[in-house]
Amino acid sequence: MTKNRIITVQDIPIAVFSADMDDYICITDMAAAKSDHARAADVVRNWLRNRSTLEFLATWEEIYNPNFKVFESEHFKKQAGLLALGSGNRRFL
């Protein structure tokens, strides 16, 4: 059974989705607290570019996901924070 609820953290409403006795917190709601909702996606995107974040997520997956592909995750960790050129535009990976 799944259900959604809202918790309030420092006066910020955060959606929580519950399924199979696990809770999932909406990181977009958390990111919106740092800026407005229009920029929340940019906050999440920048957070996912951080090597420490990727290392944390990879460790989490190694512990809790028996199907996690460790080798493939190394590519993302190596590229975290580096500039990449594509289609003439600079972007961060």
Side-chain angles (χ1 to χ4, degrees):
M1 181 171 158
T2 62
K3 64 179 182 174
N4 294 325
R5 67 183 189 279
I6 302 292
I7 60 173
T8 302
V9 179
Q10 297 181 348
D11 297 323
I12 305 295
I14 311 265
V16 178
F17 172 78
S18 297
D20 300 325
M21 299 184 60
D22 290 318
D23 291 334
Y24 303 90
I25 298 171
C26 180
I27 62 172
T28 305
D29 290 348
M30 292 169 50
K34 293 191 74 112
S35 62
D36 60 28
H37 275 300
R39 304 292 295 173
D42 291 334
V43 172
V44 172
R45 193 174 298 116
N46 288 333
W47 177 64
L48 290 172
R49 286 185 185 123
N50 183 300
R51 183 178 180 94
S52 296
T53 301
L54 293 178
E55 288 176 353
F56 171 81
L57 293 172
T59 300
W60 182 273
E61 290 292 334
E62 286 180 47
I63 293 169
Y64 295 104
N65 181 357
N67 299 318
F68 182 63
K69 298 176 181 169
V70 177
F71 180 76
E72 286 84 348
S73 75
E74 291 300 319
H75 168 76
F76 294 106
K77 287 193 287 186
K78 287 179 183 175
Q79 295 297 318
L82 299 177
L83 282 175
L85 299 177
S87 305
N89 297 322
R90 288 181 16 173
R91 62 185 176 99
F92 291 98
L93 291 176

